[in-house]
Amino acid sequence: MNRLLLNTAALIRLEAQVRLNGTFQHRLTAENPRRSVLATVAIEQCTQGLHVTVTHNGTRNSLGVTLDNQRSDNGARVARFIESTVNGDTASGVPDVDEYLLVSDLELMLRTAIRCGRGTYWLPAHELEPELRISRHPRGSYDVQLRIDDAAVQFTLPADSKRAYSVLADHLRRFLQDYRAALSAAA
C-alpha cells in the first residue's frame, strides 16, 4: 500500500498558508491502489508560534502541533505533519523539543473564540475557569462577557482580530486580578 502524499501545488500553497489564519482543504493521493483523502488543516497564528490542527476522513478526532512561527521551513514541516497524520504515523521530527510551550492553551482558546466570533468558552486560568461568551456584532466588532460565579464584566472588542486579541487578553488578566483581590479581601 502506497503512502498518501500531498502534490506539488499543495506544498506551494502551504508555504503561504502557514503565514495566515484559517482553515484549508488539501487532498492527499496514493497511486497503487489509487485512492485519495481530504484533509482539513486549521492554522492559528499566535504570539510566538503557530498552532496547526489536522482532521481527515470526516473524523472528529484531530491532531494538533505547535511550531515556532519564526522558522522559514514551516511549510515543509506542516506538510510532513499532514502526511504523517493521514498515514497514521507519528509526526516525529515535525515539532522541535519544547516548541509546544510557545503557545499556551489560554492564548489558543482566546484566539479561537475571536476567529469563530461566537460561542461560550471555559478558559483554563489556573484554579479558576472563567466563562467567556462572545458574539459578533453586525458592524464587525465583538460583544464579550467574562463571568466567574456572580462576578461578570461586559465589553466590546474592535473588529480587527489582532487588536481584539490584545484587548481581550488584557481585560481577562485584569478581571482575574480583580476577582482574586476580591476573594482575598473577603477572606
Side-chain angles (χ1 to χ4, degrees):
M1 184 160 33
N2 275 355
R3 292 180 50 79
L4 291 157
L5 301 172
L6 294 163
N7 63 26
T8 305
L11 297 174
I12 293 169
R13 283 193 313 270
L14 274 171
E15 288 295 327
Q17 290 169 346
V18 295
R19 291 185 278 289
L20 304 171
N21 284 322
T23 304
F24 310 98
Q25 301 280 322
H26 289 281
R27 183 160 303 280
L28 291 85
T29 57
E31 290 302 318
N32 199 5
R34 190 158 189 80
R35 62 194 173 107
S36 69
V37 169
L38 186 65
T40 302
V41 181
I43 299 175
E44 190 73 42
Q45 300 293 326
C46 297
T47 305
Q48 296 180 4
L50 61 116
H51 186 77
V52 180
T53 307
V54 175
T55 307
H56 61 91
N57 286 340
T59 63
R60 289 182 169 245
N61 299 330
S62 58
L63 296 173
V65 65
T66 299
L67 303 173
D68 183 350
N69 61 8
Q70 299 300 312
R71 294 204 26 183
S72 60
D73 64 341
N74 279 335
R77 296 170 77 206
V78 170
R80 279 196 315 269
F81 179 64
I82 295 167
E83 290 174 350
S84 296
T85 301
V86 170
N87 286 297
D89 303 333
T90 59
S92 60
V94 174
D96 284 341
V97 175
D98 295 338
E99 261 186 307
Y100 70 94
L101 297 172
L102 295 173
V103 179
S104 71
D105 292 340
L106 180 59
E107 179 182 4
L108 189 57
M109 191 164 294
L110 293 178
R111 290 185 183 279
T112 300
I114 290 169
R115 182 176 34 81
C116 293
R118 63 176 164 34
T120 302
Y121 301 84
W122 283 267
L123 306 174
H126 304 291
E127 73 281 355
L128 302 174
E129 286 190 11
E131 177 184 329
L132 165 69
R133 291 184 183 186
I134 188 168
S135 61
R136 191 80 187 226
H137 197 271
R139 292 184 303 235
S141 59
Y142 303 87
D143 292 325
V144 175
Q145 180 185 60
L146 292 171
R147 174 181 295 280
I148 300 176
D149 299 326
D150 292 334
V153 63
Q154 291 180 302
F155 51 94
T156 301
L157 296 174
D160 176 55
S161 61
K162 286 184 181 181
R163 286 189 45 231
Y165 169 75
S166 189
V167 171
L168 178 56
D170 187 51
H171 274 66
L172 177 62
R173 181 187 52 77
R174 287 187 288 159
F175 179 66
L176 292 174
Q177 281 178 339
D178 292 348
Y179 184 80
R180 286 184 178 114
L183 285 179
S184 295

